[in-house]
Amino acid sequence: GEDTNYSVTTDSTGSIITVGYTSGAGSTLYDITVSKIHANGNIMWQKSLDVIGKSTYGYDVCCDSYNNIYIAGTIGSNIAAIKLSSIGDIVWAREVSGTTQDGGVGIAVDAQLDVYVSGFTTSAGAGGSDGLVMKLSQSGTLTWVRAFGSTTGTLTSDSFGQIVVDSRGNMFLTGNTTNTIDGSGSNDTLICKLPTDGSRNGVYNTYIYQPVLLSVTDSVISSNNGNLTLVPSSLTVLPSTLVQTE
């Protein structure tokens, strides 16, 4: 099988949480895998999260002040947003979907335990692929969804990657764009600062930030104990050969 970790974070106790995906031997489907590791390196627990008939991928993870765990990723062609307790039990799992391919890439939680997911959508927006950001309440209710996309053509690809929120009601997003007017036309870096209340909709140069309609459903996701093995690394640290010049 294939095992890949995409993101890592720590909770208030210093424990380490990783998220990624795994496939069983001979399987064509993938499951989200999440592991909690003690600060001393011992595995506390592992979970694999799966949906019958769909591949699930975990791309980002964060924790709140109560050590609950939040995961962003994809379930089939839909955005996945999942909340686990500190011991790995599923609190809620949501699929947010349109008519084509949508995906969750980044996740953040604020002091009020509201959840923010960033990613992309090809189901709605300005055309092509648009950056997407959405807000869910601490109970998993979808509050709003916004798309951020170039207006220069339907083949333009825009997407958001990581997201962080501050204590002043702002969210900061990174991503990429192929906008031929404001960029080189290949892949350029995209950095945005937007308010967490979903406001400030409108046109910004050759981009439009606008509400979009996607549907949200409870995901029929199951949790199983993982069977990954953590082994000591045999890597050797060598002296650097870099030379500083004036």
Side-chain angles (χ1 to χ4, degrees):
E2 178 183 351
D3 305 308
T4 301
N5 273 328
Y6 262 93
S7 185
V8 63
T9 191
T10 57
D11 65 15
S12 64
T13 70
S15 297
I16 303 153
I17 297 93
T18 66
V19 71
Y21 58 84
T22 184
S23 68
S27 174
T28 59
L29 296 178
Y30 292 84
D31 297 333
I32 293 172
T33 180
V34 55
S35 303
K36 187 170 185 178
I37 303 167
H38 194 276
N40 63 15
N42 292 327
I43 294 178
M44 301 171 69
W45 52 257
Q46 297 173 347
K47 303 287 183 181
S48 62
L49 309 176
D50 68 275
V51 176
I52 295 174
K54 295 181 180 180
S55 283
T56 61
Y57 300 88
Y59 293 123
D60 198 20
V61 62
C62 69
C63 295
D64 64 23
S65 56
Y66 297 94
N67 298 328
N68 295 305
I69 299 163
Y70 302 83
I71 298 168
T74 61
I75 298 174
S77 60
N78 302 330
I79 299 164
I82 303 166
K83 179 179 180 179
L84 306 179
S85 71
S86 61
I87 60 173
D89 293 334
I90 297 173
V91 179
W92 49 256
R94 302 288 185 264
E95 287 186 57
V96 180
S97 61
T99 56
T100 53
Q101 181 73 41
D102 309 298
V105 180
I107 195 163
V109 60
D110 65 18
Q112 290 71 46
L113 306 186
D114 292 318
V115 183
Y116 304 84
V117 177
S118 57
F120 67 91
T121 178
T122 62
S123 299
S129 172
D130 281 16
L132 177 136
V133 60
M134 65 183 188
K135 180 178 181 178
L136 300 98
S137 71
Q138 62 176 293
S139 61
T141 301
L142 187 62
T143 304
W144 51 255
V145 186
R146 301 288 184 266
F148 184 91
S150 170
T151 59
T152 59
T154 58
L155 297 180
T156 301
S157 176
D158 308 299
S159 64
F160 286 139
Q162 297 299 300
I163 181 173
V164 296
V165 294
D166 65 16
S167 60
R168 298 175 179 267
N170 300 301
M171 51 186 177
F172 301 85
L173 302 111
T174 62
N176 72 282
T177 180
T178 61
N179 189 328
T180 56
I181 302 299
D182 294 328
S184 66
S186 55
N187 273 307
D188 294 322
T189 298
L190 183 64
I191 303 173
C192 295
K193 176 183 178 181
L194 297 165
T196 56
D197 63 2
S199 62
R200 297 295 296 274
N201 301 296
V203 176
Y204 297 87
N205 199 3
T206 57
Y207 294 91
I208 183 169
Y209 182 59
Q210 60 183 323
V212 293
L213 182 62
L214 298 179
S215 61
V216 59
T217 58
D218 292 337
S219 179
V220 184
I221 195 166
S222 60
S223 173
N224 304 286
N225 291 325
N227 57 3
L228 302 180
T229 301
L230 190 66
V231 297
S233 172
S234 59
L235 295 178
T236 302
V237 178
L238 299 175
S240 173
T241 58
L242 294 178
V243 176
Q244 181 176 354
T245 58
E246 297 296 332

